Amino acid sequence: GESVGLHLPTLSVQEGDNSIINCAYSNSASDYFIWYKQESGKGPQFIIDIRSNMDKRQGQRVTVLLNKTVKHLSLQIAATQPGDSAVYFCAENPSFGTYKYIFGTGTRLKVLA
Amino acid sequence: DGGITQSPKYLFRKEGQNVTLSCEQNLNHDAMYWYRQDPGQGLRLIYYSQIVNDFQKGDIAEGYSVSREKKESFPLTVTSAQKNPTAFYLCASSMTVNTEAFFGQGTRLTVV
């Protein structure tokens, strides 16, 4: 199987509980942020994004919170399901007009039955 | 179906050989990217292209080359100069700046 994700921080959550995955970003000038989900052996899948003029955005079962004061991003997953088990990582766009994204190392989410 | 396709999924290369990884998108995206993913590390940018016939080096371009002759295609060549090529390679595309990047399913390259 895919070896990506070895030695990553792991969050274990009981099925049905809510999950909170955190990300500290590096650049105070970053104006766009994305959360991705990556299953073993697959490419990252877009979950939700948020721009710096917002502090909260909701999707289906997911919420992203942005705290620009402390450069912190979080992903909340409601009613976590076994299919949510994956590596989650955040990405930031460090300056307006650039095509370059900076990706975090990721957190492994394990859903316990 | 619109999407981004990488091929092959698995690739084996002998030391000293060049190898080319394919990436095609039919999303009509202007920007395309190549990233390398190693265990326990975030994605690292190899090359990116904002528009046809133009591309820029990323953070780890040494030992790699790319071309962007068509909007849909952004192949990556891993040359023999790349000292540690075994990795998972991901191609992505985006419409423009500050929009989500869509990823392919990746190519796992192993040097034998």
Side-chain angles (χ1 to χ4, degrees):
Chain A
E2 180 55 61
S3 61
V4 168
L6 287 177
H7 313 302
L8 290 177
T10 299
L11 174 66
S12 296
V13 174
Q14 205 69 35
E15 182 180 354
D17 288 351
N18 296 337
S19 303
I20 300 176
I21 300 170
N22 297 304
C23 175
Y25 63 91
S26 58
N27 193 322
S28 57
S30 292
D31 58 0
Y32 178 62
F33 306 86
I34 310 172
W35 277 102
Y36 285 96
K37 171 187 180 183
Q38 188 175 23
E39 297 175 321
S40 181
K42 296 184 178 180
Q45 179 185 0
F46 171 86
I47 302 173
I48 192 168
D49 59 0
I50 189 168
R51 302 195 183 277
S52 59
N53 60 352
M54 304 172 69
D55 53 20
K56 180 179 179 179
R57 189 162 189 229
Q58 289 185 290
Q60 187 177 16
R61 274 201 315 120
V62 295
T63 300
V64 55
L65 300 177
L66 174 62
N67 186 330
K68 294 182 284 293
T69 302
V70 295
K71 293 189 289 185
H72 183 267
L73 199 64
S74 69
L75 177 71
Q76 300 178 3
I77 304 174
T80 310
Q81 302 170 359
D84 294 328
S85 292
V87 174
Y88 291 81
F89 54 89
C90 63
E92 62 180 296
N93 191 282
S95 61
F96 183 80
T98 181
Y99 283 87
K100 298 176 72 171
Y101 297 85
I102 299 173
F103 289 86
T105 54
T107 297
R108 177 177 297 283
L109 176 64
K110 286 188 175 180
V111 181
L112 308 172
Chain B
D1 285 333
I4 183 164
T5 303
Q6 290 185 242
S7 61
K9 187 172 175 64
Y10 298 97
L11 189 56
F12 295 88
R13 189 196 89 175
K14 291 183 179 180
E15 283 192 28
Q17 288 182 337
N18 293 354
V19 64
T20 298
L21 283 60
S22 171
C23 179
E24 303 277 332
Q25 55 99 359
N26 61 5
L27 300 166
N28 199 33
H29 285 172
D30 285 323
M32 296 187 75
Y33 315 79
W34 274 105
Y35 292 91
R36 171 181 171 137
Q37 190 173 36
D38 294 286
Q41 295 191 39
L43 276 66
R44 292 185 290 168
L45 182 63
I46 304 172
Y47 268 97
Y48 67 104
S49 168
Q50 300 178 27
I51 199 167
V52 175
N53 293 322
D54 181 68
F55 49 82
Q56 308 293 329
K57 290 183 178 181
D59 301 317
I60 56 165
E62 185 176 351
Y64 300 97
S65 66
V66 293
S67 62
R68 186 87 186 276
E69 297 176 1
K70 297 187 299 182
K71 187 175 186 178
E72 303 80 26
S73 179
F74 191 41
L76 173 75
T77 296
V78 184
T79 75
S80 57
Q82 169 48 234
K83 291 181 173 33
N84 185 21
T86 294
F88 190 51
Y89 289 89
L90 287 160
C91 180
S93 70
S94 67
M95 178 66 71
T96 183
V97 293
N98 280 17
T99 59
E100 66 267 29
F102 292 87
F103 284 84
Q105 291 302 297
T107 293
R108 171 150 288 279
L109 173 64
T110 302
V111 174
V112 297

